Amino acid sequence: MRIAIVAESFLPLMNGVTHSILRVLEHLQERGDEVMVIAPSTSDTDVSSVEKGAYVHRLPSVPLAGYTNVRVALGGVNRVKRILADFSPDVVHLASPFVLGWRAVQAAHQLGIPTVAIYQTEVPSYAARYGVPFLENWAWNRVDNIHLLATRTLVPSTFALNQLRGRGILRVDMWRRGVDTARFNPAKRSTAWRSSVAPDGHRIIGYVGRLAVEKQVEDLAVLADLPNTKMVIVGDGPQRAALEAQLPDAVFTGFLGGDALAEAVASFDLFVHPGEFETFCQTIQEAMASGVPVVATGRGGPLDLVENSRTGWLYEPGNLTQLRDYAQDLIGDDAKRRAFATAATASVQGRTWPVLSAGLVRHYNEVIASFSRENGPTELTSSKGPTS
């Protein structure tokens, strides 16, 4: 089939959205599908115009204020409409749509092309964290309008499914995320790597992710003085300097990818994730595949991933005393931690990217089969409509 993927963010920026797109592109390339990616431009001159067999059409963009490696595409609906009309896809895949994705869902609707929207980022809830809570309602209206217009929305977790259905968005199905269990594996644990970050033999408490306001990494300061532990922060972002000041004894590795990331994660003793706005949280799944138990907030995607008292602990959002208690519980008990680690690895087996990507293709086929090019989606599920 012919598939247009509209990416709110893409290479060279590596995040959860980009990672998912790349894994899907690998699968579509193996199938022999013809794929185009529409994404914001980049200032990086080394970025290829072809990625995993897909042509990447870059739209002019500007950096997001305060987060310069994130770029926002310029141009209106008509520009996207012309690109889609020229490519004539069977289906349009909207990856975490918000700005560019809003234009794309309108363009596809006008052209009579079915759309599959991937709800992956809880953008409206970021507003308060970034000091602009008055934008939250506007942002939720944008999210509503995108997903009401899309032929089908796919969400990665039960929390996200209930969240959107509660807002009157009913054409919603589940599509989780895969994990590379060959790369993220307990066998990647490295004594040498552990010695390099914790030369005194301390237990390693690790975090992996963007160092951005919405990730709430500063909450990990409550763990800084746990005896015989070393905190390791893997990732980069606009909050790095502030976090280095708040966590002066932690090791900050910067961004790691590929085998270097897999080695680091498998070498943790405990993985912690304090962010409250994760619709899934891929790094939790990668830690579990690596044989590392998890302590995370009991909201959003982690609710589906972490089983309390078996693969890790979920603490009440905002309850940092509970976060500390749960971390100490696992760090201080080697036998319990090993048992949790074994259960965590077993829990993610079978969630490979080929299996998950094949499921995505089934969704593509279903919306193509059910979509009427003359009338758009066959059934509207809300009286809400798109706004400009």
Side-chain angles (χ1 to χ4, degrees):
M1 65 181 78
R2 293 170 67 84
I3 304 152
I5 297 179
V6 180
E8 207 70 44
S9 63
F10 194 55
L11 295 173
L13 178 64
M14 181 54 75
N15 55 24
V17 176
T18 303
H19 177 80
S20 296
I21 294 170
L22 293 175
R23 299 291 78 79
V24 169
L25 288 178
E26 289 173 353
H27 185 76
L28 299 179
Q29 184 177 30
E30 290 177 2
R31 281 173 37 90
D33 296 312
E34 191 169 350
V35 185
M36 176 178 66
V37 176
I38 303 173
S41 65
T42 172
S43 58
D44 190 336
T45 57
D46 294 331
V47 173
S48 173
S49 61
V50 177
E51 186 63 42
K52 300 188 184 302
Y55 169 67
V56 183
H57 187 115
R58 298 279 183 175
L59 289 173
S61 67
V62 293
L64 184 65
Y67 207 161
T68 54
N69 62 338
V70 176
R71 301 186 68 88
V72 179
L74 302 174
V77 174
N78 285 337
R79 172 176 283 190
V80 180
K81 187 176 177 181
R82 287 193 297 270
I83 297 168
L84 292 178
D86 288 344
F87 184 65
S88 189
D90 298 302
V91 63
V92 176
H93 171 133
L94 306 167
S96 195
F98 192 72
V99 178
L100 178 57
W102 170 228
R103 299 170 197 148
V105 74
Q106 293 176 87
H109 187 76
Q110 292 171 20
L111 291 167
I113 303 170
T115 50
V116 173
I118 312 299
Y119 178 66
Q120 192 163 337
T121 308
E122 196 179 325
V123 173
S125 296
Y126 289 7
R129 296 291 303 175
Y130 278 90
V132 285
F134 53 88
L135 291 179
E136 185 170 0
N137 286 339
W138 171 85
W140 272 121
N141 285 335
R142 168 62 58 85
V143 169
D144 291 346
N145 289 328
I146 289 171
H147 294 285
L148 287 166
L149 197 56
T151 313
R152 178 174 297 181
T153 289
L154 300 179
V155 297
S157 63
T158 305
F159 179 90
L161 184 76
N162 293 333
Q163 186 180 49
L164 292 192
R165 285 183 173 171
R167 299 189 64 82
I169 301 165
L170 304 183
R171 292 192 297 271
V172 185
D173 280 291
M174 190 82 77
W175 179 61
R176 300 191 187 276
R177 300 294 178 269
V179 61
D180 186 343
T181 51
R183 173 178 291 173
F184 293 96
N185 189 289
K188 298 295 179 68
R189 188 175 178 88
S190 167
T191 301
W193 190 90
R194 288 174 57 82
S195 297
S196 71
V197 298
D200 295 329
H202 291 162
R203 298 286 181 248
I204 298 173
I205 299 174
Y207 164 85
V208 177
R210 288 195 315 279
L211 305 186
V213 171
E214 70 273 11
K215 299 298 183 180
Q216 299 171 243
V217 184
E218 67 276 6
D219 288 354
L220 300 184
V222 74
L223 308 178
D225 63 346
L226 283 179
N228 302 314
T229 65
K230 189 68 175 179
M231 188 174 298
V232 177
I233 309 294
V234 177
D236 212 339
Q239 293 297 109
R240 180 169 177 174
L243 290 167
E244 286 177 332
Q246 291 173 294
L247 299 166
D249 295 326
V251 173
F252 286 77
T253 69
F255 175 82
L256 296 178
D259 291 337
L261 175 61
E263 179 183 57
V265 174
S267 300
F268 294 163
D269 294 296
L270 178 67
F271 183 88
V272 289
H273 200 291
E276 297 175 16
F277 304 119
E278 300 295 318
T279 58
F280 185 73
C281 200
Q282 179 69 4
T283 56
I284 285 179
Q285 190 166 241
E286 291 168 350
M288 295 171 73
S290 303
V292 181
V294 173
V295 176
T297 46
R299 183 187 187 276
L303 292 169
D304 285 358
L305 295 173
V306 181
E307 185 177 345
N308 256 334
S309 194
R310 182 171 175 270
T311 63
W313 291 110
L314 295 169
Y315 67 93
E316 180 184 351
N319 190 338
L320 301 188
T321 299
Q322 195 175 47
L323 162 61
R324 181 185 170 90
D325 289 346
Y326 281 150
Q328 189 151 26
D329 173 68
L330 289 172
I331 284 294
D333 189 331
D334 292 348
K336 177 185 283 190
R337 193 174 63 254
R338 284 194 294 268
F340 276 41
T342 299
T345 302
S347 73
V348 299
Q349 300 307 303
R351 299 182 191 173
T352 65
W353 271 110
V355 170
L356 272 294
S357 296
L360 177 62
V361 171
R362 286 194 294 274
H363 284 292
Y364 289 164
N365 282 320
E366 287 172 8
V367 298
I368 291 168
S370 65
F371 191 85
S372 165
R373 287 187 176 273
E374 290 76 24
N375 300 313
T378 57
E379 181 184 10
L380 293 178
T381 56
S382 170
S383 60
K384 295 180 182 178
T387 60
S388 58

